[in-house]
């Protein structure tokens, strides 16, 4: 199981921090993750004041120049409101800078502010994504493109450059809880990244089974049908310390987010349920976190990658760096063992 971090380039841990300093700290954490032996670092995409990830490919390019081993990708790239040609060109460039460490995780976006910003109609939410994913995958396969669709001008035998360092630039499909999205990923033979941010992780097993069944029917081998899991989490030296440090900021930030999305406020009881053995939150000491990740993997029939989302709970830069170090020095060896 690969272990990584997903970040929304948030500076919620320090309201007095300038955007430039917050960005520098984020890059320091990516370098720290590389040094600690983590496998992946992803940058999300939002277009809100509290996040600095509106141009994730630029952040990833900067990180590519500062790192040596870690794979770098989106988490997720909102493909519905992007031009697939530019998406491929940007990530192919990151792939060249990093010498083959770039990946793209694409999705429709759970945050929808990019639709009005770039002039797209939310009524075309799924149609936009399906068409643009088709074009992105065609660009990945062929240097010269002939294509036509509804939402973008046609392309007549035009080449797309630069080409990626890797022969086949990895494209993952990021999904929430829509069965059709799981089936689409399986039918296309794309690796799957499942975002589980609340409730019980095991409830996604039927959807993961749908993905694997669709992939098998489409002729893809089980090795091709990778499953990743993305959830909020945090690691400290002990279980007690992790819970004490994580809960206050998590409750504040997720209650605030809940007001926007219609979720109930976070209580200590609901938090304790989610950090329990079956809950989505992966928070604790190294032993507890490693054990929970193995339980999640078993519940979903095996997972190939897990990514922590941890910079949205009011944690300081130093706490985040320490958590990354513990994931590399303690959690990953425990899982490998």
């Amino acid at each position: 199981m690969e272990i990584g971090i997903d970040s929304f380039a948030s500076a919620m841990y320090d309201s007095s921090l300038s955007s430039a300093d917050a960005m520098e700290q984020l890059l320091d954490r990516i370098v720290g993750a590389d040094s600690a032996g983590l496998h992946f670092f992803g940058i999300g995409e939002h277009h809100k004041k509290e996040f600095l990830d509106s141009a994730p490919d630029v952040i990833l390019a900067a990180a590519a120049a500062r790192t040596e081993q870690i794979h770098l990708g989106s988490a997720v790239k909102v493909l519905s409101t992007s031009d697939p040609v530019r998406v491929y060109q940007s990530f192919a460039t990151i792939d060249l800078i990093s010498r083959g460490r770039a990946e793209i995780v694409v999705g429709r976006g759970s945050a929808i502010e990019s639709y009005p910003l770039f002039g797209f109609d939310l009524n075309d939410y799924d149609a936009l994504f399906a068409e643009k994913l088709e074009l992105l995958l065609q660009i990945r396969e062929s240097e010269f493109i002939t294509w036509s669709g509804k939402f973008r001008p046609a392309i007549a035998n035009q080449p797309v450059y630069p080409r990626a360092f890797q022969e086949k630039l990895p494209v993952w499909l990021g999904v929430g809880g829509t069965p059709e999205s799981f089936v689409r990923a399986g039918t296309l033979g794309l690796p799957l990244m499942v975002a589980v941010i609340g409730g019980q992780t095991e409830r996604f097993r039927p959807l993961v089974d749908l993905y694997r069944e669709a992939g098998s029917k489409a002729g893809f081998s089980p090795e091709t049908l990778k499953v990743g899991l993305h959830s909020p989490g945090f690691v400290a030296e002990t279980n007690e310390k992790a819970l004490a440090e994580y809960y206050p900021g998590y409750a504040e930030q997720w209650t605030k987010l809940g007001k926007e999305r219609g979720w109930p406020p976070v209580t200590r009881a609901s938090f304790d349920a989610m950090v329990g053995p079956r809950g989505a939150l992966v928070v604790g000491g190294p032993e507890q976190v490693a054990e929970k990740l193995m339980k999640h993997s078993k519940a979903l029939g095996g997972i190939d990658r897990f990514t922590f989302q941890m910079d949205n709970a009011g944690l300081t830069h130093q706490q985040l760096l320490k958590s990354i170090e513990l994931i590399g020095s303690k959690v990953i060896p425990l899982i490998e063992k």
Side-chain angles (χ1 to χ4, degrees), residues 1 9 14 37 42 57 62 72 168-169 198 213-214 216 226 245 261 279 292-293 307:
M1 184 194 306
D14 187 350
D57 42 341
L72 302 163
K168 195 169 185 177
L169 186 64
E213 290 168 10
S216 178
K226 295 182 179 180
E245 292 183 355
R261 301 196 180 185
K292 188 163 189 177
L293 289 180
T307 54

Side-chain angles (χ1 to χ4, degrees), residues 234-247 268 271-272 275-277 281-292 326:
F234 174 65
V235 184
E237 290 90 339
T238 66
N239 199 49
E240 295 74 19
K241 184 176 182 182
L243 297 176
E245 292 183 355
Y246 190 79
Y247 174 70
R268 185 64 200 222
F271 174 78
D272 288 342
V275 298
L281 299 186
V282 184
V283 179
E287 294 79 11
Q288 289 83 2
V289 164
E291 182 180 357
K292 188 163 189 177
L326 287 169

Side-chain angles (χ1 to χ4, degrees), residues 112-252:
I112 58 174
E113 67 273 2
S114 64
Y115 287 81
L117 181 62
F118 296 114
F120 292 99
D121 189 339
L122 268 173
N123 292 322
D124 299 323
Y125 185 73
D126 189 66
L128 278 163
F129 182 73
E131 178 178 296
K132 293 188 176 188
L133 179 60
E134 176 193 349
L135 177 55
L136 177 64
L137 295 178
Q138 186 174 334
I139 295 169
R140 181 177 70 162
E141 297 297 325
S142 304
E143 182 176 335
F144 282 81
I145 302 299
T146 296
W147 177 92
S148 64
K150 178 181 177 181
F151 301 105
R152 188 201 187 281
I155 306 173
N157 196 35
Q158 291 291 310
V160 177
Y161 300 122
R163 305 308 296 175
F165 185 88
Q166 300 173 78
E167 182 177 349
K168 195 169 185 177
L169 186 64
V171 176
W172 295 62
L173 189 58
V175 300
T178 307
E180 294 79 8
S181 296
F182 287 80
V183 172
R184 172 158 47 207
T187 302
L188 294 171
L190 298 177
L192 183 77
M193 179 56 68
V194 188
V196 182
I197 61 175
Q200 296 179 346
T201 300
E202 64 193 41
R203 78 186 194 277
F204 282 80
R205 177 61 183 268
L207 296 172
V208 173
D209 287 344
L210 272 179
Y211 162 69
R212 292 184 170 123
E213 290 168 10
S216 178
K217 288 179 181 178
F220 295 101
S221 67
E223 295 76 24
T224 302
L225 302 172
K226 295 182 179 180
V227 176
L229 175 63
H230 156 105
S231 294
F234 174 65
V235 184
E237 290 90 339
T238 66
N239 199 49
E240 295 74 19
K241 184 176 182 182
L243 297 176
E245 292 183 355
Y246 190 79
Y247 174 70
Y250 173 84
E252 178 183 352

Side-chain angles (χ1 to χ4, degrees), residues 40-56:
F40 179 81
F41 206 107
I43 302 294
E45 180 186 344
H46 299 81
H47 301 269
K48 297 181 178 180
K49 183 177 181 179
E50 60 265 34
F51 302 115
L52 299 174
D53 61 346
S54 63

